[in-house]
Amino acid sequence: MAAGLRKRSRAGSAAQPAGVCGQWLQRAWQERRLLLWEPRYTLRVASCLCLAEVGITFWVIHRVAYTEIDWKAYMAQVEGVINGTYDYTQLQGDTGPLVYPAGFVYIFMGLYYATGQGTDIHMAQNIFAVLYLVTLLLVFLIYHQTCKVPPFVFFFMCCASYRVHSIFVLRLFNDPVAMALLFLSINLFLAQRWGWGCCCFSLAVSVKMNVLLFAPGLLFLLLTQFGFRGALPKLGICAVLQVVLGLPFLLENPIGYLSRSFDLGRQFLFRWTVNWRFLPEALFLHRAFHLALLAAHLTLLLLFALCRWHRTGESILSLLKDPCKRKVPPQPLTPNQIVSTLFTSNFIGICFSRSLHYQFYVWYFHTLPYLLWAMPAHWLTHLLRLLVLGLIELSWNTYPSTSCSSAALHICHAVILLQLWLGPQPFPKNIQHIKKAH
């Protein structure tokens, strides 16, 4: 009899997890429409997609051939530093000189040792696969906190993008490393850890300076939250970290380090451009065209700062004041205000980039669902937004790029910019508060 009771108890304990799992699946099936449409289910859908991505990513590694582009050059540049060369002008790889800041050197030096001096490509691919999954997790945490994007969109952000999988695990570019650090910094900002967030932001910049496209938005947020004097320590963290990381190279040849790692005037090759293929090559390379793009970039940033981000009714110069001395009492920044400002700042920079190469897709790929769904204009239906996402993906998958693919990419960017301008504002107007204060 005792043996029978023991058997029943074992059977009962084994049935409990199965029963819980069955109940969860039954409930998920009953609420399948809500799972796809309600942002509060983001984490549940994200967990399923991350599990699917584990299989997809490692299937890609084993089934699709690796393509050598920059990995050997990265390893050659890092090897030069390991051998004692700290003059940036003397560090070269197969594809040209070292043009990334010091953080890139240290991270890829670690990869150099982890992959047997860069020879174990399979190990490198596995490391980048883990990096891809970590990046997805960080992105999903951001979307969970904003609670704006319907979960069905995340399928297109994960499993449906061939180009992004290729950039991470088939090309081994440094862009994904910079973006992973950037998304980590945004999560820290959302947790109100501004100092640590600025530290991670600066680390991301030290890997690749495209992260500076987020800097105007970050500066606006810091001034809004802390005022000029309060923002200085946070900006100081960013600056000091850059100096500390670059110190060995700055001591050897400061001009060489700064001119190579932060070369804002670097010329891009026309044959690799994704976004300006429809232009004549002479115009693409002309300095007047570059200056016009810079002017348009700065003008649109200023317009968004004045008309979309700053909504208190006071002069924008009031951001320089201590928050407690402003006419309108400061309100804590919401997750959507933080994310929308940073993502929009980056997107404006991408729209007016002098050139976009194929690996640059990860600069804004994971932000596109938020830009399209978080602040939608009424005229932009779900179907139209999916069409925009699909055309962008198609443009980035067209190799070599054509006049049509470049034009389609610009049209999609223009649609997103227009709906960001016309859609609901993340920063509500506070005119009523000003009247009460008076």
Side-chain angles (χ1 to χ4, degrees):
M1 186 173 177
L5 287 172
R6 280 197 296 270
K7 286 181 182 178
R8 284 178 197 167
S9 64
R10 284 175 193 166
S13 61
Q16 280 180 356
V20 171
C21 184
Q23 289 174 4
W24 188 87
L25 289 173
Q26 184 179 6
R27 185 179 173 190
W29 175 254
Q30 290 171 349
E31 299 181 357
R32 58 191 181 278
R33 190 180 184 282
L34 292 177
L35 280 171
L36 294 176
W37 289 93
E38 289 295 327
R40 68 177 183 269
Y41 291 106
T42 293
L43 287 184
R44 293 187 188 182
V45 174
S47 61
C48 295
L49 288 173
C50 284
L51 287 174
E53 278 288 10
V54 172
I56 292 170
T57 304
F58 287 98
W59 180 88
V60 169
I61 290 173
H62 288 90
R63 294 291 183 180
V64 184
Y66 163 78
T67 304
E68 171 56 43
I69 297 180
D70 281 341
W71 175 257
K72 288 183 179 178
Y74 293 165
M75 294 297 102
Q77 293 159 358
V78 165
E79 194 170 46
V81 177
I82 293 171
N83 292 334
T85 302
Y86 292 100
D87 184 348
Y88 250 56
T89 61
Q90 302 300 316
L91 294 169
Q92 300 279 335
D94 294 342
T95 57
L98 175 57
V99 293
Y100 307 117
F104 161 85
V105 173
Y106 301 130
I107 291 173
F108 277 79
M109 190 181 295
L111 292 172
Y112 175 87
Y113 288 116
T115 59
Q117 301 180 354
T119 58
D120 190 346
I121 300 298
H122 186 67
M123 173 61 75
Q125 288 181 290
N126 287 332
I127 293 171
F128 272 79
V130 173
L131 177 69
Y132 174 67
L133 295 171
V134 170
T135 302
L136 270 185
L137 177 62
L138 292 170
V139 170
F140 280 131
L141 288 174
I142 292 170
Y143 279 110
H144 170 65
Q145 293 179 75
T146 57
C147 207
K148 285 283 187 180
V149 179
F152 79 88
V153 180
F154 299 137
F155 170 80
F156 301 96
M157 191 183 76
C158 295
C159 309
S161 178
Y162 166 79
R163 178 62 64 187
V164 170
H165 286 88
S166 172
I167 291 168
F168 271 86
V169 298
L170 298 180
R171 305 293 191 271
L172 309 181
F173 288 117
N174 63 332
D175 305 75
V177 180
M179 294 309 297
L181 289 169
L182 182 276
F183 289 127
L184 175 59
S185 74
I186 293 177
N187 275 281
L188 290 168
F189 295 145
L190 292 173
Q192 300 300 312
R193 304 288 185 181
W194 292 92
W196 285 108
C198 287
C199 182
C200 285
F201 182 87
S202 188
L203 279 174
V205 172
S206 76
V207 176
K208 195 162 186 177
M209 67 175 183
N210 71 281
V211 178
L212 288 174
L213 294 178
F214 291 87
L218 177 58
L219 177 62
F220 179 87
L221 293 172
L222 289 174
L223 292 175
T224 301
Q225 184 82 354
F226 303 104
F228 180 70
R229 290 182 64 182
L232 282 178
K234 311 296 184 295
L235 297 174
I237 291 172
C238 296
V240 168
L241 189 61
Q242 291 298 320
V243 173
V244 170
L245 291 172
L247 194 58
F249 311 102
L250 289 169
L251 292 174
E252 183 71 24
N253 184 353
I255 302 299
Y257 174 72
L258 293 173
S259 62
R260 282 287 176 86
S261 58
F262 295 99
D263 183 9
L264 297 174
R266 190 161 48 125
Q267 190 66 272
F268 294 101
L269 296 175
F270 182 67
R271 68 188 180 119
W272 293 116
T273 188
V274 175
N275 58 331
W276 296 115
R277 179 65 63 184
F278 54 83
L279 293 178
E281 185 172 359
L283 178 58
F284 173 83
L285 298 172
H286 203 284
R287 288 294 178 187
F289 175 62
H290 303 162
L291 291 174
L293 288 174
L294 178 60
H297 178 194
L298 296 176
T299 300
L300 202 57
L301 277 175
L302 184 61
L303 286 172
F304 267 83
L306 291 171
C307 303
R308 299 290 300 176
W309 301 341
H310 185 64
R311 303 289 296 168
T312 63
E314 292 186 84
S315 166
I316 196 167
L317 296 177
S318 65
L319 294 177
L320 300 176
K321 298 178 183 177
D322 190 280
C324 63
K325 295 180 180 178
R326 297 172 190 164
K327 293 179 182 178
V328 180
Q331 301 294 322
L333 290 169
T334 66
N336 279 291
Q337 289 170 342
I338 294 171
V339 173
S340 66
T341 303
L342 292 171
F343 283 7
T344 303
S345 173
N346 177 61
F347 182 71
I348 292 171
I350 285 169
C351 288
F352 296 100
S353 291
R354 288 185 290 126
S355 185
L356 293 174
H357 295 178
Y358 286 96
Q359 66 268 32
F360 298 176
Y361 192 21
V362 295
W363 291 6
Y364 76 132
F365 171 77
H366 293 102
T367 72
L368 288 173
Y370 186 88
L371 295 172
L372 279 165
W373 269 270
M375 297 169 286
H378 295 300
W379 51 272
L380 201 60
T381 64
H382 287 296
L383 186 60
L384 284 176
R385 286 176 231 160
L386 288 174
L387 178 62
V388 169
L389 271 185
L391 284 174
I392 290 174
E393 179 73 18
L394 182 63
S395 299
W396 283 96
N397 280 311
T398 302
Y399 177 80
S401 63
T402 64
S403 297
C404 290
S405 67
S406 292
L409 186 64
H410 279 287
I411 291 170
C412 292
H413 287 174
V415 169
I416 295 174
L417 273 179
L418 185 62
Q419 76 94 23
L420 286 174
W421 184 261
L422 297 177
Q425 296 159 351
F427 288 81
K429 233 174 183 177
N430 290 325
I431 300 298
Q432 293 88 353
H433 294 293
I434 292 176
K435 291 179 180 178
K436 288 179 183 178
H438 282 300

